[in-house]
Structures are given as C-alpha cells and as structure tokens.
Amino acid sequence: MLVRFWGTRGSLPVAATASIVQDKVAHALLAASGRSFADIEEARSFARSELDFAISGTFGGATTCVEIEAGDPANGDAFILCDMGSGLRGFGLDAMRRCAAGHARVYHFFMSHLHWDHIMGFPFFVPAFDPNAHIVIHSGHEDAEEALRRQQEEISFPVKFDWLRAKIEFRTLKVGETYQIGAVQVELMEQHHSHSSFGYRFTDAEGKVAVFSTDSEHKLDRMEGEADVEQFFRAADLVICDTMYSLADSVSMKEDWGHSSNIVAIDLCHGARAKRLALFHHEPVYSDADIARMHAESVRYEELTREHDPLEVLCAYDGLEVSL
C-alpha cells in the first residue's frame, strides 16, 4: 500500500506570497554562507540535506485529498481517493497521465464529509470529463449527490454537474459494515463534526492498514469516551489524523470548531498501538515554520509519553508519499 498526499490543508487553500518566498530565499542564502555550487543539482542537494524543510520546502496549500494505492494497477485495480479538496486537481492531471499508460479509469472516492473545502476540487477534476471514466462516490451521508450538484449550480459555477461526461454513481455506506471495494476492505466510523464526518479504515490483501480520520473533534477532558476511536485506529500502519490546532487553540478560542490537536492524536494513537501518525489538515493561518514547530513538539511529546513501541510521527505535506 502506498499513500500519496495531494492536499493537506484545512478550511481553504492558501498560497505562499512573494514576501514568504523571499524570506525563504534569504534564509537559504544565509545558511549557504557564501558557498558556490557547480550546478543546480548540487544546489538542490544542499537544500535537501542542510536546510530545514520549512526553508527549503513547504507543507503546501491545497485542501484535503489523499490517494491510497493498493493492489496492482497493472491488473486493473482502481484509484482510491479520500476527499475532493483542491488537491484533487493535481491528482486528476496525474491520473490522466497514468491512464494513458494503461491504468484503469475507475475512481473510488471516500468522503469524510461535504463541507466546501473537501469537495471544491471536483469541478476541476479532469477525469470527470472523460466519457470512459467511472467514478464511484462513497459516503456515510445520504445527501452527498445534493452537495456536489449544488456547488455546480449556475449561480456558483459555470459548468453544470450534468455536463460531466464520466459515469458517476453515489453509494451510501453504513457504520458497522465491512465493504470489499477494489483492492481494499473498508470500514467507516462516525465522527464529531458539524453535519457529521466519517473516518475510514482501509485494509489491503497483505493486512496493511491505513486510517483516514479528519475533521473530528476529540476533547482532552473527555478522552475516557474515545475507546471506539482507539479501536478504529487499532494497530494501524498509518493514521492520518486531524491535528489542525495546537492544544492551546483547541481548548480555548477554537473549542467546538470540529477539529483536534496534535497532542490528542498522539494519545489516541498510543492507546491504539498504531505504528505511524501523520499530522494533517493544517490550519491555513499557520506558516511552514509554525507547522514545523508543531511537528517537532509532537515528536518530543510522543517520546515523553511513550509506554510501548515507538509511534513514528510524520507531518503530512502536499506531495508526501508513505509506503506501508
């Protein structure tokens, strides 16, 4: 199983401004301390190996979209996607390239919920205009089709939903059921969020498990009621978890906003004996330096509270690939 992150921000897309880019360049020049490079590859090697990621790269600004590659695409296994945030546009362009090389034109989407930042990429999803594509949209919400059609009404978008040429179908999944969809078994869990959200647990034929759990609020003072979440996360090889806020933000001015903190995510993964955690759904006002600082604090907190095997704490960014 391979997990690709196409969009990792929450709420709305963000882009680096000119001043942010200039600041990164200035810090890189200071770190280079007058040295020269023979060619661009040598300069890139310096950036990768000697600069902090918050300077040499970026966590990105696209909203939620995660690809789960399972099975064997050469044997006709379908694409598997979680959510349709603005990161879906980049995935769609890459998928068309892969389809031209022989990948099946079948797309299974699993929707956490229907808020705009999680569906806004669909009108820009190029395979939706491919008459040979088959798109299946799975959700715990019975009104998923209504939400996607509504955002393409004329008052909001110039291309109507009915103008899309792919075969598109909607399937409502039920909590407590296990579904074999493509190369994975899928289970879902209802979560704490406005209009509800759903987490998904994907298990491939080799027993590898990836959990996608975003837009869910887990409160620090109510952790005794989270046994069902720990069970859902149990022994997962990777848990992609909503860590939008710092602990201070989550318990103060942003309480009841439907999101969680890095600290709570680590506690849940420790209780579940999960192997890896990906911090996810980054707050749009947080800079790359802010997110990198939260990641470092998370790694340290995991070390201090560890009682069993280590939990590897990753920080998701647009373009990250994780092999399970």
Side-chain angles (χ1 to χ4, degrees):
M1 185 183 292
L2 181 68
V3 179
R4 292 189 181 93
F5 292 84
W6 294 93
T8 58
R9 287 277 178 171
S11 297
L12 79 166
V14 294
T17 63
S19 62
I20 290 172
V21 174
Q22 289 165 4
D23 191 58
K24 288 177 180 285
V25 172
H27 278 91
L29 290 172
L30 282 174
S33 189
R35 77 180 71 182
S36 60
F37 304 100
D39 52 36
I40 189 65
E41 285 306 318
E42 187 175 324
R44 285 178 178 147
S45 177
F46 163 76
R48 285 192 297 265
S49 61
E50 299 189 42
L51 295 180
D52 292 339
F53 182 77
I55 296 174
S56 65
T58 179
F59 291 95
T63 59
T64 303
C65 183
V66 176
E67 178 185 2
I68 310 288
E69 185 177 293
D72 185 359
N75 289 333
D77 284 316
F79 291 106
I80 299 171
L81 284 303
C82 297
D83 283 354
M84 303 173 169
S86 64
L88 181 60
R89 179 180 178 274
F91 164 78
L93 295 172
D94 189 70
M96 293 299 288
R97 174 189 61 80
R98 285 187 264 170
C99 288
H103 197 295
R105 297 171 185 253
V106 180
Y107 305 82
H108 287 283
F109 283 92
F110 295 88
M111 304 302 300
S112 66
H113 64 308
L114 307 171
H115 287 165
W116 188 43
D117 53 320
H118 293 257
I119 65 172
M120 66 192 307
F122 191 67
F124 301 93
F125 182 48
V126 175
F129 297 86
D130 176 6
N132 296 312
H134 182 195
I135 298 171
V136 185
I137 300 167
H138 306 269
S139 178
H141 299 86
E142 295 183 352
D143 52 358
E145 182 172 0
E146 178 185 354
L148 290 181
R149 285 183 173 277
R150 185 182 297 175
Q151 77 168 341
Q152 289 188 235
E153 291 177 354
E154 187 177 6
I155 195 171
S156 301
F157 197 76
V159 180
K160 295 180 181 179
F161 188 90
D162 287 333
W163 292 358
L164 302 176
R165 301 184 67 193
K167 177 184 177 181
I168 302 173
E169 60 178 296
F170 292 83
R171 297 178 185 173
T172 303
L173 306 183
K174 301 296 183 183
V175 172
E177 300 289 333
T178 300
Y179 300 88
Q180 182 69 45
I181 299 173
V184 293
Q185 286 190 337
V186 184
E187 303 166 70
L188 67 161
M189 170 186 67
E190 189 167 4
Q191 304 178 137
H192 306 292
H193 196 71
S194 174
H195 197 62
S196 291
S197 69
F198 292 87
Y200 293 90
R201 181 182 173 94
F202 301 93
T203 306
D204 71 7
E206 298 178 354
K208 295 295 184 181
V209 175
V211 173
F212 177 74
S213 175
T214 191
D215 291 65
S216 183
E217 185 164 9
H218 307 288
K219 295 191 176 185
L220 190 64
D221 60 352
R222 299 181 189 173
M223 294 300 286
E224 69 279 358
E226 299 285 358
D228 59 334
V229 180
E230 289 188 5
Q231 175 64 16
F232 196 75
F233 289 5
R234 68 192 182 282
D237 295 280
L238 176 67
V239 175
I240 303 164
C241 195
D242 182 333
T243 57
M244 190 167 184
Y245 304 134
S246 67
L247 180 62
D249 281 350
S250 70
V251 301
S252 57
M253 58 183 176
K254 294 178 180 178
E255 186 176 11
D256 297 321
W257 284 26
H259 300 284
S260 293
S261 74
N262 54 331
I263 300 302
V264 168
I266 291 168
D267 289 347
L268 289 170
C269 286
H270 272 166
R273 303 290 292 274
K275 298 177 179 66
R276 274 183 281 192
L277 163 68
L279 308 180
F280 188 72
H281 204 267
H282 308 308
E283 161 65 58
V285 303
Y286 287 178
S287 68
D288 287 320
D290 293 331
I291 297 171
R293 188 179 309 112
M294 178 184 284
H295 181 210
E297 292 170 352
S298 300
V299 170
R300 182 58 176 155
Y301 178 77
E302 189 282 326
E303 293 171 347
L304 292 172
T305 58
R306 182 189 304 159
E307 295 181 352
H308 303 288
D309 294 333
L311 168 70
E312 182 182 358
V313 181
L314 310 174
C315 195
Y317 60 85
D318 297 2
L320 174 66
E321 294 187 354
V322 180
S323 180
L324 307 184

